[in-house]
């Protein structure tokens, strides 16, 4: 795209009616597939998933999406209306958890490696410290301090088009991580000054990898 390109406000969509006029009617099956509970198919999908993105909103409406990953089946199904997501050690920004305390609405997107379909769950969430529940989610002997309980309002399978367009699981489309700066260099560039000495930068990168191994759980 050419540099300095700006949005032409004459073409902005500003109303629901204007939006709907650009598309054909919603397919009936797309409406009917939306369930109010976790059925057998949704259960199988969630139990196979090692990765979920959780979307939340702050009190002022600011949006946030956070990735969560663990061994497959880490999101526990308490019953057909309730999911439980363990909170693992992170950077302690606590964006997702803080948002839930003031705005309980959440959206989940489950992925399964090799599956082009995704599973979407919308609902409202609470935070729990119940030791009996937390103990069921221990990994390497480490129990999470808190978990997110999601009460299901909607659940539906999402079609494969997005993942097929992106070729997400195609190894031939995987990119070389070394083509871009390391995470540590990016953070140092954005917050202060990255070291000019390549060996010092390598040492910092190795320290980060060591920290990953020590603090994963």
């Amino acid at each position: 795209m050419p540099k300095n390109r700006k949005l032409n406000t004459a073409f902005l969509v500003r109303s629901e009616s204007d939006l709907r006029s650009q598309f054909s009617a919603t397919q009936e099956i797309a409406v009917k597939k939306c369930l109010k509970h976790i059925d057998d198919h949704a259960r199988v999908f969630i139990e196979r998933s090692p990765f979920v993105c959780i979307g939340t909103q702050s009190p002022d409406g600011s949006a946030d999406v956070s990735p969560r990953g663990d061994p497959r089946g880490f999101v526990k199904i308490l019953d057909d209306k309730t999911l439980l997501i363990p909170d693992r050690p992170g950077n302690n920004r606590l964006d997702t958890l803080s948002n839930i305390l003031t705005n309980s609405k959440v959206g989940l997107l489950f992925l399964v490696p090799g599956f082009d379909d995704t599973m979407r769950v919308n609902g409202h969430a609470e935070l729990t410290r119940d030791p009996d529940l937390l103990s069921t989610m221990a990994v390497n002997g480490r129990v999470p301090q808190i978990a997110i309980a999601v009460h299901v309002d909607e659940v539906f399978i999402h079609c494969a088009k997005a993942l097929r367009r992106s070729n997400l699981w195609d190894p031939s489309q995987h990119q070389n991580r070394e083509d871009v700066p390391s995470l540590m260099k990016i953070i140092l560039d954005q917050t202060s000054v990255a070291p000019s000495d390549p060996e010092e930068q390598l040492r910092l990168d190795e320290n980060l990898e060591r920290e990953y191994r020590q603090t994963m759980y």
Side-chain angles (χ1 to χ4, degrees), residues 7-22:
L7 284 174
N8 185 334
T9 58
F11 294 97
L12 294 179
V13 177
R14 300 184 183 276
S15 68
E16 179 80 12
S17 59
D18 189 5
L19 172 65
R20 294 290 176 183
S21 70
Q22 308 300 311

Side-chain angles (χ1 to χ4, degrees), residues 140-178:
N140 296 336
R142 297 184 180 181
V143 178
Q145 292 182 288
I146 207 164
I148 301 169
V150 177
H151 305 287
V152 175
D153 294 327
E154 294 181 311
V155 56
F156 55 95
I157 194 78
H158 194 94
C159 78
K161 289 180 180 177
L163 270 69
R164 291 189 179 179
R165 290 176 183 132
S166 67
N167 293 311
L168 185 64
W169 308 124
D170 183 354
S172 70
Q173 300 298 312
H174 290 183
Q175 300 179 39
N176 187 350
R177 183 63 181 83
E178 295 181 357

Side-chain angles (χ1 to χ4, degrees), residues 104-207:
S104 66
K105 295 294 186 181
V106 298
L108 308 179
L109 180 68
F110 288 92
L111 279 78
V112 176
F115 285 30
D116 288 338
D117 323 291
T118 56
M119 179 69 65
R120 290 171 60 177
V121 176
N122 297 318
H124 56 284
E126 298 177 296
L127 307 181
T128 179
R129 295 178 295 173
D130 185 335
D132 291 337
L133 293 177
L134 296 178
S135 66
T136 67
M137 296 182 286
V139 176
N140 296 336
R142 297 184 180 181
V143 178
Q145 292 182 288
I146 207 164
I148 301 169
V150 177
H151 305 287
V152 175
D153 294 327
E154 294 181 311
V155 56
F156 55 95
I157 194 78
H158 194 94
C159 78
K161 289 180 180 177
L163 270 69
R164 291 189 179 179
R165 290 176 183 132
S166 67
N167 293 311
L168 185 64
W169 308 124
D170 183 354
S172 70
Q173 300 298 312
H174 290 183
Q175 300 179 39
N176 187 350
R177 183 63 181 83
E178 295 181 357
D179 289 344
V180 297
S182 68
L183 172 64
M184 181 57 71
K185 177 166 174 47
I186 292 172
I187 292 174
L188 290 176
D189 280 343
Q190 293 175 337
T191 58
S192 56
V193 179
S196 57
D197 182 358
E199 291 188 1
E200 175 64 11
Q201 182 62 59
L202 179 60
R203 185 184 68 80
L204 293 173
D205 292 339
E206 291 174 345
N207 286 345

Side-chain angles (χ1 to χ4, degrees), residues 20-81:
R20 294 290 176 183
S21 70
Q22 308 300 311
F23 299 89
S24 57
T26 304
Q27 296 179 8
E28 184 178 4
I29 194 170
V31 176
K32 288 184 175 180
K33 73 175 182 178
C34 185
L35 305 178
K36 301 296 184 182
H37 65 282
I38 303 294
D39 72 344
D40 290 342
H41 296 299
R43 175 181 291 273
V44 168
F45 198 103
I46 292 169
E47 289 177 343
R48 285 179 172 271
S49 175
F51 185 85
V52 64
C53 291
I54 177 169
T56 58
Q57 283 191 318
S58 67
D60 66 3
S62 299
D64 182 76
V65 177
S66 177
R68 304 295 168 111
D70 250 337
R72 57 182 286 183
F74 76 103
V75 175
K76 304 301 181 184
I77 302 173
L78 296 187
D79 55 50
D80 65 1
K81 291 285 290 183

